[in-house]
Amino acid sequence: MYSLFRLRCCSLSEISCDTLVSALKSNPSHLRDLDLRNNNLKDLGVKLLRDLLESPDCRLEKLRLERCRLSEISWAALISALKSNPSHLTDLDLSYNKLQDSVVKLLSDLLESPDCRLETLRLTGCRLSEINCAALISALKSNPSHLRVLDLRNNNLKDSGVKRLCDLLKSPDCRLEKLRLRCCSLSKISCAALISALKSNPSHLRDLDLSHNKLKDSVVKLLSDLLESPDCRLENLGLRSCSLSEISCAALISALKSNPSHLRDLDLSFNINLKDSGVKLLSDLLESPDCRLETLSISIHSLS
């Protein structure tokens, strides 16, 4: 019996998809993880996949459809199927697919369902519009207690999307552990609001990636306050290519040094203003007997 089925980058034809999904549908109760990333499923393949997902015997927990180039009709059919039988699904990856407004509306309905138990939602590079970002995050806010991982990398959230995200993070029911916002074109206002929201409810967050967003000194000050909080349990912090100033680098590392025992992974790559003062503080952090850092990423030219 199978619990994990991976066919990533297999160039499946429409006929192959038909045969495969029909076979899965004939015995669906053991399947837990289905990985079809980088395959062009086309409408017929999605129709059969929809039938599988709608089966009362389906117990699928993880569905990965990154870069599957589905049509708007196919997406609508697929998410409708998930909505009809949502209680087992815990991990959904739709990254690098362009999601139309009608599809995002259905996805929002799925997320709002009281039967939805989704813990991981990956929407990297989905070219979400400002309205769609706001709608999705509002849906997550209405049912936040199960969500643990939210990956919105490479989407332009804009201030309205970040505002909804802040409301989600402030919710006492929010249990988010991983938040990934790399390359989200966050404004100074958005960054400040986001980190203030995280600071109001910091104890669950373990992984924060703000890489490739330009962080101003005022924003880094708030981030430093978050890191210094005795309730902060952050283990992974990604700040790659954040244009940190020398002052910001020093403030961040000082904050980490004041509360070092949880941090395991720190990425400061491609911040050219680390300078000697920042490296000295970083060395002090690494020498601390409480430091548990396992992975440190810095660029060679940052040390010059």
Side-chain angles (χ1 to χ4, degrees), residues 4-8 33-39 62-65:
L4 170 61
F5 207 91
R6 287 181 178 161
L7 288 168
R8 186 176 184 181
D33 189 333
L34 180 57
D35 188 346
L36 293 171
R37 286 176 287 181
N38 293 281
N39 287 293
K62 297 182 180 181
L63 178 60
R64 301 171 190 185
L65 295 171

Side-chain angles (χ1 to χ4, degrees), residues 6-226:
R6 287 181 178 161
L7 288 168
R8 186 176 184 181
C9 300
C10 287
S11 302
L12 296 177
S13 68
E14 193 165 0
I15 294 172
S16 296
C17 286
D18 184 347
T19 304
L20 174 66
V21 181
S22 292
L24 290 171
K25 185 174 178 285
S26 69
N27 186 19
S29 62
H30 299 283
L31 189 68
R32 296 294 182 268
D33 189 333
L34 180 57
D35 188 346
L36 293 171
R37 286 176 287 181
N38 293 281
N39 287 293
N40 191 356
L41 300 185
K42 299 193 176 178
D43 290 348
L44 178 59
V46 171
K47 180 183 183 300
L48 292 163
L49 182 57
R50 181 194 66 193
D51 294 343
L52 167 66
L53 295 170
E54 287 177 341
S55 167
D57 296 322
C58 181
R59 299 291 184 271
L60 197 68
E61 296 172 3
K62 297 182 180 181
L63 178 60
R64 301 171 190 185
L65 295 171
E66 179 184 320
R67 289 188 173 95
C68 280
R69 302 185 294 280
L70 301 184
S71 69
E72 186 173 1
I73 293 170
S74 290
W75 278 121
L78 186 65
I79 295 172
S80 292
L82 290 172
K83 188 171 179 284
S84 72
N85 187 20
S87 61
H88 299 285
L89 193 71
T90 60
D91 189 324
L92 180 61
D93 187 352
L94 302 179
S95 296
Y96 298 104
N97 293 288
K98 187 176 181 181
L99 303 183
Q100 306 290 338
D101 290 351
S102 59
V103 176
V104 173
K105 173 66 171 68
L106 287 168
L107 181 57
S108 298
D109 292 343
L110 166 65
L111 296 171
E112 288 175 345
S113 168
D115 296 322
C116 181
R117 300 290 184 272
L118 206 64
E119 296 177 3
T120 299
L121 178 60
R122 303 183 196 279
L123 297 170
T124 304
C126 284
R127 291 180 277 177
L128 299 175
S129 69
E130 185 174 3
I131 293 171
N132 284 341
C133 283
L136 274 172
I137 296 169
S138 292
L140 290 170
K141 184 176 178 284
S142 71
N143 185 21
S145 62
H146 299 284
L147 195 69
R148 298 294 181 269
V149 178
L150 180 58
D151 190 341
L152 293 171
R153 288 173 294 173
N154 296 90
N155 287 292
N156 192 354
L157 299 186
K158 301 202 172 173
D159 290 348
S160 59
V162 174
K163 182 181 184 303
R164 300 292 197 292
L165 182 56
C166 291
D167 292 341
L168 168 65
L169 295 169
K170 288 176 181 176
S171 168
D173 296 321
C174 182
R175 300 290 184 273
L176 200 66
E177 296 175 3
K178 295 183 180 181
L179 178 60
R180 295 174 179 170
L181 297 172
R182 176 181 292 218
C183 298
C184 282
S185 303
L186 299 179
S187 71
K188 178 181 176 181
I189 293 171
S190 289
C191 283
L194 181 69
I195 295 169
S196 292
L198 289 171
K199 189 169 180 284
S200 72
N201 186 19
S203 62
H204 299 285
L205 195 69
R206 299 290 181 272
D207 188 324
L208 178 61
D209 187 359
L210 297 174
S211 297
H212 297 277
N213 291 289
K214 191 173 183 179
L215 302 185
K216 304 288 187 182
D217 288 349
S218 57
V219 174
V220 174
K221 172 67 171 69
L222 288 169
L223 181 56
S224 300
D225 292 342
L226 168 65

